[in-house]
Amino acid sequence: MFDIEIYKARRAKLRATVGSGKILLLGNDEASINFAHNWYPYRQDSTFLYYFGLSIPGLIGVLDCDGDQDYLFGNDYQIDDIVWTGPQPTLRELGEKVGVESTFPLAKVSAQLNAKVHILPPYRGEHTLKLREILSKSVEEVSSMASIPLIKAIAAQRNIKAPEELVEMNKAVTTTSAIHLAVMKAARPGMKEYELVAVARRIAAENNVSLSFPPIATINGQTLHNHYYGNTIEAGDIVLFDCGAESPEFYAGDMTRTFPVSATFDSRQRELYEIVFRAHRAAVDSLHAGVKFIDVHLIAAKTLVSGLKEVGLMKGDAEEAVNAGAHTMFFQCGLGHMMGLDVHDMENLGEQYVGYTPELQKSTVFGLKSLRLGKELEENNVITVEPGIYIIPELIDLNKADGKFKDFINYDKLETYRDFGGIRVEEDFVINADGSTLLGNSVAIAPEEVEKVRSQALKS
Amino acid sequence: MFDIEIYKARRAKLRATVGSGKILLLGNDEASINFAHNWYPYRQDSTFLYYFGLSIPGLIGVLDCDGDQDYLFGNDYQIDDIVWTGPQPTLRELGEKVGVESTFPLAKVSAQLNAKVHILPPYRGEHTLKLREILSKSVEEVSSMASIPLIKAIAAQRNIKAPEELVEMNKAVTTTSAIHLAVMKAARPGMKEYELVAVARRIAAENNVSLSFPPIATINGQTLHNHYYGNTIEAGDIVLFDCGAESPEFYAGDMTRTFPVSATFDSRQRELYEIVFRAHRAAVDSLHAGVKFIDVHLIAAKTLVSGLKEVGLMKGDAEEAVNAGAHTMFFQCGLGHMMGLDVHDMENLGEQYVGYTPELQKSTVFGLKSLRLGKELEENNVITVEPGIYIIPELIDLNKADGKFKDFINYDKLETYRDFGGIRVEEDFVINADGSTLLGNSVAIAPEEVEKVRSQALKS
């Protein structure tokens, strides 16, 4: 946990920004796997962590904007519990750790609230059920009564990372870096994809932290959300590994590397890898406070198109191709996202509030609709940059049948790449006034660096 | 997955036993960690797995007892999804794998149901919300309308393990055995408890399976549900490690070992370990079809008391002590539980239906109220046996202040053991007509075996 004053200041700022009414922040309870008392690893709600710091189930926080006071609700352990759990701090002691003097049993929370209550959108069934009970509202009501002023105030606050948060994020990405280097070294022809995941789980567990999202470890990198780990990795394959670890205070890391199972890429792999890497460098070079991330995304897209033209997969003017969306044949998703206590930071608050502004609304067009962050970057935003080339056979067939992008795509040549797979590289950056700072340790990313790691690993 | 005929036969048997009405079995959806689309490792509902075999989110099964027919509900992937997920089997193809010909979109499930619907108790918030919507009932109604005939029919069926299930359970316990031996060998003075958990997570991940419950890895074995892993293990400490892996078909394993961080136990540790081990042997020797598990529990309790008398911690007649509940000063919980697709098998259906009978109700007395299984064992039940001695300072203080068990407890001597900790051993058994069969590989459990593993490990 951070210093007590940090939590007090964060809450005071939120109260001041929201201005009036009571803010209800639910802590997370345990999450049941296959019966009520068999639990997944506990994860506190990120907003509750941000304002109340306590990574313990069964807590609720209330901020009274009018009375300038904060309340913590929870139930003290009874002796019967203590036989099973060992001695536990009292609610009063927990409150003291984060500067909350007013602590009450959970049953008292409803009485503390009035008509003007600000809540966040629920993302677990338990949230909906609990809000329903506390607020005496219907399921439908609590699912649609999230407070926009609260969401905006939290997004504005959490989007700018304070120094103590940047230290934590660097820890998260440093552990993440260690995982990526270990996986890049560990891969051998004949291994299963899940053996690479095992390396990640071991290193996270050895650091007593969780992974920040389900890892992707696949020879089918073209499948963007791929959580299947059952394939054997063979010489000639490329492995796409996307994984992040949390820091001790639950901040996220998120990195991707794509590497050959053999010592080197084959010529096609190397060509497309070079293009992705060039797009990555172009995007990173464009980062600074004041640039719109959607423009950085488009710089990456144009760089991809230029490269794809060089290898004969695309044709025509790069700018026109991107304007027409033709790059989405290869790059269907966004260039990156905000990162913080959540890997997609505050995704539960709504991307339009975290990554966009009233003036810059999120696009609904294929490709840009998957860009989680479009707005102008500010100092101490933390973001990912993750361009890629993904050859998706189903998408080729669909677009070809529709006659889409035929001025920009060389479908004949593309057909010869149907089974190519996918490539992505991803790093995490803090935005500065005039550039950006890489978080974590630098892990081989230039193609020659990656091949060097692989060659040495296969010799050892 | 098992053979298609197995699922058809299981469902036919359930329909026949329940007799009339429609049985609604919810599959599990993904479980959200810190925002809607960041998911814990997927775990299908165990009852759904048992009858429909498919480990895929977003499915619902209906068994029509009157029409002797089964239905599978789910939504096929659209091309937009396939860009992100890769090609996926259709609902029709999924149904064919498990012998269900009638497949429909999720939106059709309500129309398939009538007034006589059998449901199970919900254990995730999402179940409650989904049942509420499907059945057009209130949250309170769906939380209390579980069908007792359905629960009894499922418990009767799942309690007796078929040959293919025993093979799976042996796989689960074999992986579990490998974890325990590796942890017993890996522990070194100065390590953190979480480094032992890391060994378990690595081995599970290398086998592409999950752990069946949150592991316990602690120098404070007296805390029965201890998920804190932050202590350093030092020479002279004993480590209690309780952990299980799943099989590829999601059956559970569950084992415990307690071992010295040094090469050998100290004399007090060895004395109490011998007592626990003797109670374990006595319990295992009593296992056979026809014996009531509550009687096996009491045999273990008496053996513990006899041993505790020998070392001077207890006094008086062992039988009277157990009748008075005085053993619960050291052994506060139950001797074991049913195990299957859940580590506490079917705990979500209610322990009274899985571990007890209308004639043998669960006790409400401290100690026995934590015995999850009391009833007569049957052939091909799978159970755990896990006696222990736990010295809980808070419980000593409480009982001493109340003057409890003073004819049976030597409080003066016990005070000198306040900081002793806890010891448990646990193995998994299939019940036979005239005995039992150990599942998995035998891992050092006799005190001299444990010390041999530790001595060799510390030398290497």
Side-chain angles (χ1 to χ4, degrees):
Chain A
M1 287 176 50
F2 299 125
D3 187 85
I4 185 173
E5 295 304 326
I6 286 175
Y7 297 105
K8 286 165 80 170
R10 287 176 177 176
R11 291 194 303 267
K13 184 166 181 186
L14 182 63
R15 274 190 264 106
T17 312
V18 172
S20 69
K22 300 203 179 182
I23 299 166
L24 172 64
L25 297 179
L26 295 184
N28 280 342
D29 289 333
E30 300 279 9
S32 299
I33 307 174
N34 50 338
F35 53 91
H37 287 92
N38 200 30
W39 298 324
Y40 284 113
Y42 179 71
R43 180 55 158 76
Q44 181 57 288
D45 174 72
S46 296
T47 298
F48 189 89
L49 271 179
Y50 186 82
Y51 292 103
F52 288 93
L54 300 161
S55 178
I56 293 173
L59 299 176
I60 294 178
V62 170
L63 288 73
D64 178 359
C65 303
D66 307 304
D68 278 338
Q69 215 193 330
D70 306 320
Y71 299 85
L72 185 66
F73 298 86
N75 291 335
D76 277 324
Y77 281 70
Q78 304 302 313
I79 179 70
D80 251 35
D81 306 315
I82 290 169
V83 167
W84 302 89
T85 62
Q88 297 295 326
T90 63
L91 183 66
R92 170 168 294 276
E93 288 164 346
L94 292 176
E96 281 167 5
K97 287 188 189 185
V98 292
V100 182
E101 287 167 21
S102 303
T103 59
F104 296 100
L106 280 177
K108 300 283 185 194
V109 67
S110 292
Q112 262 304 328
L113 300 170
N114 51 26
K116 193 162 179 192
V117 60
H118 299 274
I119 68 167
L120 294 177
Y123 59 86
R124 289 185 180 185
E126 281 71 15
H127 297 166
T128 302
L129 293 171
K130 206 184 280 191
L131 289 171
R132 170 186 169 274
E133 203 179 318
I134 292 172
L135 302 175
S136 300
K137 303 250 180 203
S138 73
V139 166
E140 287 71 20
E141 283 170 323
V142 299
S143 304
S144 62
M145 63 178 273
S147 158
I148 308 300
L150 178 61
I151 288 174
K152 287 184 171 172
I154 292 174
Q157 204 172 346
R158 285 179 54 191
N159 257 345
I160 309 298
K161 270 64 182 177
E164 71 275 4
E165 295 186 278
L166 293 175
V167 169
E168 278 295 312
M169 298 203 69
N170 200 58
K171 286 185 202 170
V173 186
T174 300
T175 307
T176 302
S177 310
I179 288 172
H180 278 269
L181 186 59
V183 165
M184 201 184 283
K185 288 180 175 175
R188 293 290 179 281
M191 268 190 181
K192 294 287 189 179
E193 293 162 339
Y194 56 74
E195 293 182 81
L196 302 178
V197 178
V199 173
R201 293 214 179 276
R202 171 181 62 77
I203 294 176
E206 284 174 353
N207 285 278
N208 205 19
V209 298
S210 294
L211 297 179
S212 41
F213 58 93
I216 298 172
T218 182
I219 54 172
N220 292 310
Q222 76 283 4
T223 301
L224 292 167
H225 288 172
N226 195 336
H227 301 130
Y228 177 75
Y229 308 132
N231 296 305
T232 303
I233 66 173
E234 305 280 13
D237 290 337
I238 46 176
V239 169
L240 187 154
F241 184 70
D242 185 349
C243 180
E246 289 191 341
S247 78
E249 290 301 326
F250 313 104
Y251 285 79
D254 182 6
M255 284 171 59
T256 306
R257 289 293 184 275
T258 306
F259 58 82
V261 178
S262 306
T264 54
F265 294 105
D266 70 24
S267 61
R268 288 200 320 178
Q269 290 164 351
R270 172 89 187 213
E271 273 181 343
L272 295 203
Y273 190 97
E274 293 268 10
I275 296 168
V276 172
F277 181 58
R278 221 185 298 158
H280 183 68
R281 292 308 322 162
V284 173
D285 289 346
S286 318
L287 294 176
H288 61 84
V291 70
K292 284 201 181 72
F293 196 70
I294 192 169
D295 292 333
V296 182
H297 171 87
L298 294 171
I299 287 168
K302 271 173 232 163
T303 312
L304 289 172
V305 171
S306 300
L308 290 163
K309 281 173 60 183
E310 286 172 28
V311 298
L313 284 165
M314 292 190 75
K315 59 188 178 185
D317 180 72
E319 181 124 7
E320 281 175 32
V322 170
N323 289 341
H327 62 288
T328 66
M329 178 67 97
F330 301 92
F331 181 43
Q332 300 81 11
C333 55
L335 180 69
H337 49 81
M338 292 281 191
M339 190 169 77
L341 281 162
D342 306 304
V343 60
H344 295 165
D345 211 23
M346 297 173 274
E347 187 167 294
N348 59 311
L349 303 190
E351 288 171 0
Q352 65 272 36
Y353 301 110
V354 177
Y356 290 85
T357 64
E359 293 71 39
L360 182 69
Q361 299 282 328
K362 197 171 161 188
S363 168
T364 55
V365 171
F366 184 79
L368 281 180
K369 76 175 178 186
S370 302
L371 180 64
R372 297 167 199 277
L373 171 61
K375 71 180 180 186
E376 204 172 276
L377 298 178
E378 295 177 86
E379 261 187 271
N380 297 326
N381 283 164
V382 172
I383 61 155
T384 67
V385 176
E386 44 180 316
I389 290 179
Y390 312 101
I391 314 276
I392 303 175
E394 296 77 11
L395 190 62
I396 298 174
D397 295 342
L398 189 75
N399 285 342
K400 196 175 173 183
D402 290 352
K404 261 180 117 171
F405 310 137
K406 55 186 173 4
D407 297 338
F408 303 108
I409 306 285
N410 283 322
Y411 277 102
D412 288 349
K413 174 122 191 188
L414 183 53
E415 284 292 350
T416 69
Y417 277 72
R418 275 186 84 84
D419 61 350
F420 177 84
I423 291 173
R424 172 168 66 255
V425 297
E426 177 183 22
E427 297 181 307
D428 307 321
F429 298 90
V430 187
I431 301 303
N432 305 327
D434 51 5
S436 66
T437 306
L438 178 71
L439 285 168
N441 296 326
S442 171
V443 174
I445 185 166
E448 59 279 8
E449 292 169 349
V450 173
E451 291 184 340
K452 190 173 164 197
V453 171
R454 290 298 301 149
S455 301
Q456 289 178 346
L458 288 171
K459 274 180 209 149
S460 68
Chain B
M1 285 177 50
F2 299 125
D3 187 86
I4 185 172
E5 295 303 327
I6 285 175
Y7 297 106
K8 288 166 78 169
R10 287 177 178 177
R11 291 194 303 265
K13 185 166 178 186
L14 182 63
R15 275 190 264 105
T17 312
V18 172
S20 69
K22 300 203 178 180
I23 299 166
L24 172 64
L25 297 179
L26 296 184
N28 280 343
D29 289 334
E30 300 280 9
S32 299
I33 307 174
N34 49 339
F35 53 89
H37 287 92
N38 200 29
W39 298 323
Y40 284 113
Y42 180 71
R43 180 55 159 75
Q44 182 57 286
D45 174 74
S46 296
T47 298
F48 189 90
L49 272 179
Y50 185 83
Y51 293 104
F52 288 93
L54 300 161
S55 177
I56 293 174
L59 300 176
I60 294 177
V62 170
L63 289 73
D64 178 359
C65 302
D66 307 304
D68 278 339
Q69 215 192 332
D70 306 319
Y71 301 85
L72 185 66
F73 298 85
N75 291 335
D76 277 325
Y77 282 69
Q78 305 301 314
I79 180 68
D80 251 32
D81 307 314
I82 290 169
V83 168
W84 302 90
T85 62
Q88 297 294 326
T90 63
L91 183 67
R92 171 169 294 277
E93 288 164 345
L94 292 175
E96 280 168 4
K97 287 189 189 186
V98 292
V100 181
E101 287 168 20
S102 303
T103 59
F104 297 100
L106 279 177
K108 299 281 185 195
V109 68
S110 292
Q112 262 303 329
L113 300 171
N114 52 26
K116 196 164 176 190
V117 59
H118 299 274
I119 67 166
L120 294 177
Y123 60 85
R124 289 185 181 185
E126 282 70 16
H127 297 165
T128 302
L129 293 171
K130 206 183 279 189
L131 288 170
R132 170 184 168 277
E133 201 178 322
I134 292 172
L135 302 174
S136 301
K137 302 248 181 206
S138 73
V139 165
E140 286 70 20
E141 283 171 322
V142 299
S143 303
S144 62
M145 65 177 274
S147 159
I148 307 300
L150 177 62
I151 287 173
K152 287 184 171 173
I154 293 174
Q157 203 172 347
R158 284 179 53 190
N159 257 345
I160 309 296
K161 270 64 183 178
E164 71 276 6
E165 295 186 277
L166 293 175
V167 170
E168 278 296 312
M169 297 203 70
N170 200 58
K171 285 185 203 170
V173 187
T174 299
T175 307
T176 302
S177 310
I179 288 172
H180 278 269
L181 187 58
V183 165
M184 202 184 284
K185 287 180 176 175
R188 293 290 180 280
M191 268 189 179
K192 294 286 189 179
E193 293 162 340
Y194 57 73
E195 293 182 80
L196 304 178
V197 177
V199 173
R201 294 216 178 274
R202 171 181 62 79
I203 295 176
E206 283 173 354
N207 285 276
N208 205 20
V209 298
S210 294
L211 297 179
S212 41
F213 58 93
I216 296 171
T218 183
I219 54 171
N220 292 311
Q222 77 283 4
T223 300
L224 293 166
H225 287 172
N226 194 338
H227 301 129
Y228 178 75
Y229 307 132
N231 296 304
T232 304
I233 67 174
E234 305 280 14
D237 289 338
I238 46 176
V239 170
L240 187 153
F241 185 70
D242 185 350
C243 180
E246 289 191 340
S247 78
E249 290 301 327
F250 313 102
Y251 285 79
D254 183 5
M255 283 171 58
T256 306
R257 289 294 185 274
T258 306
F259 57 82
V261 178
S262 306
T264 55
F265 294 105
D266 70 24
S267 61
R268 289 199 318 177
Q269 290 165 350
R270 173 85 187 217
E271 273 182 341
L272 295 202
Y273 190 98
E274 292 269 11
I275 295 169
V276 172
F277 182 57
R278 224 185 297 158
H280 184 68
R281 295 304 324 158
V284 173
D285 289 347
S286 318
L287 294 175
H288 60 84
V291 70
K292 286 199 180 72
F293 196 69
I294 192 170
D295 292 334
V296 182
H297 170 86
L298 293 171
I299 286 167
K302 270 173 232 162
T303 312
L304 289 173
V305 172
S306 300
L308 290 163
K309 280 173 60 183
E310 285 171 29
V311 298
L313 285 165
M314 291 190 76
K315 59 189 177 184
D317 181 72
E319 182 123 10
E320 283 175 32
V322 169
N323 290 342
H327 62 286
T328 64
M329 178 67 98
F330 302 93
F331 181 43
Q332 299 82 9
C333 56
L335 180 69
H337 49 80
M338 292 280 191
M339 191 171 77
L341 281 162
D342 306 304
V343 60
H344 294 166
D345 211 21
M346 296 173 274
E347 187 167 292
N348 60 311
L349 304 189
E351 287 172 359
Q352 65 273 36
Y353 301 111
V354 178
Y356 289 85
T357 64
E359 293 73 39
L360 182 69
Q361 299 281 328
K362 196 171 163 189
S363 169
T364 55
V365 171
F366 184 80
L368 282 180
K369 77 175 178 187
S370 302
L371 180 64
R372 296 167 200 278
L373 171 60
K375 72 181 181 186
E376 205 172 274
L377 298 177
E378 296 178 86
E379 261 188 271
N380 298 325
N381 283 164
V382 172
I383 61 155
T384 68
V385 176
E386 45 180 315
I389 291 179
Y390 313 101
I391 314 276
I392 303 175
E394 295 78 11
L395 190 62
I396 298 175
D397 295 341
L398 189 75
N399 285 342
K400 197 176 174 185
D402 291 351
K404 260 179 118 172
F405 309 139
K406 59 184 172 2
D407 296 339
F408 303 109
I409 305 285
N410 284 322
Y411 277 101
D412 289 349
K413 174 121 191 186
L414 182 53
E415 286 291 350
T416 69
Y417 278 74
R418 277 184 83 84
D419 62 350
F420 178 85
I423 291 173
R424 173 167 67 253
V425 297
E426 177 182 22
E427 296 181 307
D428 307 321
F429 298 91
V430 186
I431 302 303
N432 306 327
D434 50 6
S436 66
T437 306
L438 178 72
L439 284 169
N441 295 326
S442 172
V443 173
I445 184 165
E448 59 278 8
E449 292 170 348
V450 173
E451 291 185 339
K452 191 173 163 194
V453 171
R454 289 299 300 150
S455 302
Q456 289 178 347
L458 289 172
K459 274 180 211 149
S460 70

